[in-house]
Amino acid sequence: MDVKRLIAPVAVAVVAAGAFGAWSIAKRHTASPEIFEGWASPNAAGTAIGFTDGSARPGEGYIVAGAAWAGRDNAWHLGADLPTCIGRDTTAKVHVKLGVVTVEPGDDAFGGRHVVWLRCL
């Protein structure tokens, strides 16, 4: 077996593997949420909230269905059920902390600001 004939294919394989590794690292998506503390008013279904930080400016609305959440007992729920700690009383305000990320719209996904976690305080 001629070792010199193997040098070129092995070199190409090493370069290709390095390029693929660099590309996969460059394409990796990470997000650090912005953290907000304030008051949430749930909708009647418990799937969305109106949120205000207590300032005079108007609040924002967020969908919370599917977000990870923790109640006052600090037990985390990973989106399998609605955040029951906010309730469904549309006249109530619940003290919460939110983790919100901004998502760029894609071909088959909508973008905007999304709640990734909610904690009732």
Side-chain angles (χ1 to χ4, degrees):
M1 182 161 171
D2 188 9
V3 175
K4 289 182 183 181
R5 287 184 17 190
L6 292 176
I7 291 176
V10 169
V12 168
V14 168
V15 169
F20 178 75
W23 174 80
S24 66
I25 289 171
K27 296 301 281 182
R28 184 177 302 154
H29 297 286
T30 61
S32 296
E34 292 180 77
I35 299 172
F36 300 103
E37 185 174 333
W39 299 92
S41 298
N43 67 353
T47 58
I49 60 169
F51 178 80
T52 181
D53 61 4
S55 66
R57 65 185 173 176
E60 294 190 51
Y62 294 104
I63 295 171
V64 294
W69 65 277
R72 290 178 186 89
D73 61 357
N74 286 326
W76 281 95
H77 307 267
L78 298 179
D81 52 352
L82 294 174
T84 58
C85 66
I86 61 169
R88 294 179 180 205
D89 180 356
T90 59
T91 63
K93 291 190 178 200
V94 179
H95 191 200
V96 297
K97 193 178 277 191
L98 303 176
V100 178
V101 296
T102 301
V103 178
E104 294 297 324
D107 293 337
D108 31 344
F110 67 96
R113 294 166 51 88
H114 295 271
V115 174
V116 291
W117 59 263
L118 174 144
R119 172 174 271 177
C120 291
L121 303 173

